[in-house]
Amino acid sequence: MVGETSRPLLLPQNRKIRHLQGIYVRNLTLTRPRGHTIDDAALNKTPQKLQALRESPLHHTASSEDLRRPQKTRRSSSNWVGASPGFRQKKLEDVIDSRMADTFFTLHCEGQEDPIYISEVVEKAMNPTFRFFDLSSLRPAVTRLRVVLVKIWVKRGDFTPLLEEEINLQTLQFIGTLENHSFPPNCIVFHLTDGIYTIDLATKPPIPRPAPSLPTSSYSALMRLSNLDESIQDALATREELANQINAIFKDTPIDESPQAREKAALASRYLSTERKLLRQSIRRRAEIKASISARRNAIRSGEEIQARALEDINNAQENLTSCQSLVSSNTAGIHQQRRRVCEDVLNIFPIEPTTSPLLFTICGLSLPNSHFDDADEDTTSAALGFVARVVDMLQYYLSVPLPYPISPYGSRSIIHDYISTLQDNQRTFPLYNKGTLRFRFEYGVFLLNKNIECLAESQALKVLDIRQTLPNLKYLLYVCSAGTSELPTRKSGGVKGLLSVAKPWDQSSASSRRGSADSGVAGGVSEQVRMALENSGVGKMGPSRGGNGNGGGVFGANHVHSLRTSGLRENVAK
């Protein structure tokens, strides 16, 4: 097996550029080696010549001047014995610099101005080894060549060519491996697909391994092959003769161009029909585009008119913008002040007072524990929770904050609903009284009530530390909602008279009010209900002129001294 691996697989005549895979340079020398003439590069390096040179090597020919010049004595390295370490270091660096350089190579072939391959640059190396490459991707006119020109470039300031060798791949000598070889200076080594070759080293071909003789072809087989070759040659000659006869017949026969003309006419007719079809489509497309352009112009014109009207409206509204903004600010401030007054009234109607115990309060004189009902009286607790439920239910309308858990305030029998939580029980109503109910349902109802208080507090940017403290959280919320630096506004007097004086449902002017406006809402809703209530209760009968005493005072005459508020709203208004 060792003999097989050291034997080339390619025959010399079969070596092509496509088989070249890599190039190495060994013993890089930047100066001309001794013992060779200047014309050694052009030496015929055939295997027989190389073998003859090794047997009788040539020496450098001395000129006439060299004959007269005395021979110099051989230099000795003993003069470095007494030299300083710095001198030795410098000499060694000079020797290394003279043998090491940045190197790259280029490959050229006949008929190509540019190189077919440029290698990478190997820095500071005396034996540069370049990476493998693949030339099989080049065109066949290049890959089938046997001769390649190799240029070795070294860097001395700038890159300059050092070697230029025109290599015939048939003359390469197989060496098998890079080991155990003494390479001459500037030796170029080629790596082909079957092994390593060079032109500077000649090796004796390995002795062929003895093998049994193989049977050769017989005489009859060779004669059959010869007859077959003659038959093939006769067939080729016959084919060539027939081709010549056919060409002569075509040359002598006049050419009838009518079929080609008919074919061209048919092709032109098809082209004409196709162009006519395209013309019709283009005409139809042009009409559609014209219609689209006209519609777009009309749309642009109408859009410009709408934009002009909108701009005019904006200009007109710009004049009233400042007054509207001031009106909005004043209305917002008024709403805030009215909410302060309402919360103050609620705090006065349902007073929440502290007791001697810390964080324990009473509402309307009824004590309410903070979510601990073990020792509390059931009736007192139910009544207190009823007051709390009433206050919380009213605050959702005053503060415009919908409660997540709706409350039905029925006094001491108030209930609360949970429609949003995921519960096992289908019963969504929970009591706010403990008597006659399950304890866990009552406690869960109190928990939902506390969550409503927390929701109201968060709407006013208040943070509840403990939702179980029902009355402290509610009192804190009412204090904050009623707090302010200015004085509380007074309650407007007049009761329902104020509504009736704004818009009367029986007045003809109200019938012409715009639908959806504030006047129509008051006249169509509240005033109509008030009028019906007045008629049913017998208060404020309308006269024949629907004006009472005819002075525009509404349904109330000058002698009326009480209104609906005097009939049940605990307020007497004397006019």
Side-chain angles (χ1 to χ4, degrees):
M1 295 300 294
V2 176
E4 290 295 333
T5 56
S6 61
R7 185 184 301 274
L9 301 179
L10 294 174
L11 296 176
Q13 60 271 20
N14 292 338
R15 297 173 193 161
K16 310 293 181 182
I17 290 181
R18 64 175 179 270
H19 298 135
L20 187 60
Q21 294 183 346
I23 289 180
Y24 317 121
V25 178
R26 291 296 177 262
N27 289 339
L28 181 66
T29 304
L30 304 180
T31 59
R32 182 173 59 85
R34 298 182 179 181
H36 295 274
T37 59
I38 298 176
D39 57 350
D40 284 342
L43 185 65
N44 184 12
K45 297 182 178 180
T46 59
Q48 295 79 6
K49 193 67 175 178
L50 290 175
Q51 185 65 25
L53 289 175
R54 287 182 178 84
E55 294 177 356
S56 58
L58 296 176
H59 299 283
H60 183 66
T61 305
S63 62
S64 59
E65 295 180 357
D66 294 334
L67 293 175
R68 292 193 299 269
R69 188 179 303 167
Q71 297 291 334
K72 294 182 180 180
T73 59
R74 182 179 180 183
R75 292 183 300 174
S76 175
S77 60
S78 60
N79 54 357
W80 285 25
V81 175
S84 63
F87 178 77
R88 294 182 179 181
Q89 180 68 23
K90 186 176 182 306
K91 285 295 184 181
L92 291 175
E93 291 178 356
D94 293 341
V95 172
I96 293 174
D97 290 339
S98 65
R99 299 296 299 273
M100 300 179 67
D102 298 344
T103 315
F104 76 95
F105 72 89
T106 58
L107 298 180
H108 305 261
C109 66
E110 185 179 359
Q112 293 285 337
E113 297 182 359
D114 298 331
I116 61 175
Y117 179 76
I118 301 176
S119 71
E120 76 281 5
V121 177
V122 178
E123 299 179 354
K124 295 297 181 182
M126 188 172 64
N127 297 312
T129 300
F130 303 96
R131 64 167 175 252
F132 281 13
F133 50 84
D134 185 12
L135 302 179
S136 60
S137 59
L138 300 176
R139 55 193 183 93
V142 176
T143 59
R144 295 175 181 176
L145 295 177
R146 298 189 182 96
V147 180
V148 62
L149 180 63
V150 182
K151 292 184 179 181
I152 307 297
W153 301 76
V154 296
K155 186 175 183 181
R156 284 295 187 177
D158 293 332
F159 280 101
T160 57
L162 176 66
L163 296 176
E164 184 173 344
E165 292 283 349
E166 185 176 8
I167 307 299
N168 189 342
L169 299 180
Q170 293 182 356
T171 62
L172 295 179
Q173 302 298 319
F174 182 78
I175 60 175
T177 179
L178 295 175
E179 299 177 356
N180 302 325
H181 290 285
S182 178
F183 295 100
N186 294 334
C187 180
I188 303 177
V189 181
F190 300 88
H191 193 119
L192 274 63
T193 56
D194 60 338
I196 298 175
Y197 294 80
T198 184
I199 59 175
D200 295 329
L201 295 178
T203 58
K204 295 182 180 180
I207 301 174
R209 188 177 59 181
S213 59
L214 298 177
T216 60
S217 299
S218 61
Y219 176 78
S220 59
L222 293 176
M223 291 303 296
R224 285 196 298 270
L225 290 175
S226 178
N227 294 334
L228 181 61
D229 181 63
E230 291 179 359
S231 300
I232 293 174
Q233 296 300 327
D234 292 342
L236 292 176
T238 304
R239 185 188 65 178
E240 186 69 21
E241 184 179 357
L242 290 176
N244 294 332
Q245 292 177 2
I246 292 172
N247 292 332
I249 292 172
F250 284 155
K251 186 177 180 180
D252 297 337
T253 303
I255 300 175
D256 186 8
E257 296 182 354
S258 58
Q260 291 83 356
R262 286 193 295 270
E263 185 178 356
K264 290 181 180 179
L267 182 61
S269 177
R270 288 196 298 270
Y271 282 160
L272 180 60
S273 61
T274 303
E275 293 298 328
R276 286 177 178 175
K277 183 178 180 181
L278 293 176
L279 179 60
R280 290 193 296 270
Q281 293 178 356
S282 300
I283 294 174
R284 184 169 59 255
R285 178 61 179 167
R286 184 184 64 181
E288 294 176 356
I289 292 176
K290 284 185 177 180
S292 176
I293 292 174
S294 177
R296 291 183 181 182
R297 285 177 179 172
N298 296 333
I300 291 173
R301 191 179 301 109
S302 61
E304 290 177 350
E305 294 176 356
I306 295 173
Q307 186 177 4
R309 290 196 299 269
L311 185 60
E312 184 179 359
D313 295 341
I314 290 174
N315 294 332
N316 296 333
Q318 194 73 25
E319 301 175 356
N320 301 327
L321 179 61
T322 305
S323 60
C324 292
Q325 288 178 348
S326 60
L327 182 61
V328 169
S329 300
S330 62
N331 289 340
T332 303
I335 291 172
H336 179 68
Q337 294 296 332
Q338 291 297 328
R339 284 181 176 177
R340 286 182 56 203
R341 181 188 61 77
V342 169
C343 292
E344 185 70 22
D345 293 343
V346 170
L347 192 60
N348 293 332
I349 294 172
F350 300 93
I352 301 175
E353 303 296 337
T355 61
T356 56
S357 301
L359 295 178
L360 186 62
F361 289 76
T362 61
I363 180 169
C364 296
L366 300 177
S367 177
L368 180 63
N370 293 325
S371 301
H372 296 285
F373 308 102
D374 295 334
D375 299 333
D377 183 59
E378 295 181 354
D379 295 336
T380 303
T381 301
S382 300
L385 289 175
F387 287 133
V388 174
R390 170 59 67 180
V391 172
V392 173
D393 185 62
M394 289 189 299
L395 285 179
Q396 73 169 330
Y397 304 109
Y398 297 151
L399 301 180
S400 299
V401 179
L403 297 178
Y405 307 103
I407 300 175
S408 298
Y410 300 143
S412 60
R413 287 296 182 266
S414 300
I415 58 177
I416 190 169
H417 308 277
D418 182 7
Y419 299 117
I420 60 177
S421 300
T422 304
L423 302 175
Q424 297 287 342
D425 193 0
N426 295 329
Q427 183 60 253
R428 296 284 180 163
T429 302
F430 298 91
L432 294 177
Y433 52 90
N434 196 9
K435 182 179 292 185
T437 60
L438 297 177
R439 181 63 178 270
F440 78 91
R441 296 184 64 82
F442 166 69
E443 291 181 351
Y444 187 72
V446 175
F447 167 74
L448 297 180
L449 180 64
N450 293 333
K451 292 296 289 185
N452 284 338
I453 297 174
E454 182 185 17
C455 181
L456 294 174
E458 289 178 352
S459 68
Q460 305 301 317
L462 301 179
K463 185 177 182 180
V464 177
L465 298 180
D466 189 358
I467 64 172
R468 295 176 296 178
Q469 299 174 2
T470 306
L471 290 181
N473 294 335
L474 184 60
K475 186 174 181 63
Y476 180 44
L477 173 63
L478 292 175
Y479 266 139
V480 171
C481 291
S482 60
T485 57
S486 60
E487 296 183 358
L488 290 174
T490 58
R491 187 172 184 176
K492 294 183 180 180
S493 60
V496 182
K497 274 186 179 182
L499 299 176
L500 297 179
S501 63
V502 173
K504 306 179 184 61
W506 53 83
D507 193 357
Q508 297 295 330
S509 62
S510 63
S512 62
S513 61
R514 181 170 52 87
R515 181 181 180 184
S517 62
D519 296 341
S520 64
V522 173
V526 180
S527 298
E528 182 66 22
Q529 295 178 5
V530 171
R531 185 180 66 82
M532 294 299 295
L534 290 174
E535 291 179 355
N536 294 334
S537 61
V539 179
K541 298 295 184 179
M542 294 185 294
S545 61
R546 292 189 178 182
N549 55 1
N551 55 2
V555 296
F556 298 98
N559 56 352
H560 290 160
V561 295
H562 69 279
S563 66
L564 284 181
R565 294 187 178 181
T566 63
S567 300
L569 297 182
R570 299 173 299 171
E571 180 180 352
N572 294 327
V573 180
K575 186 174 180 181

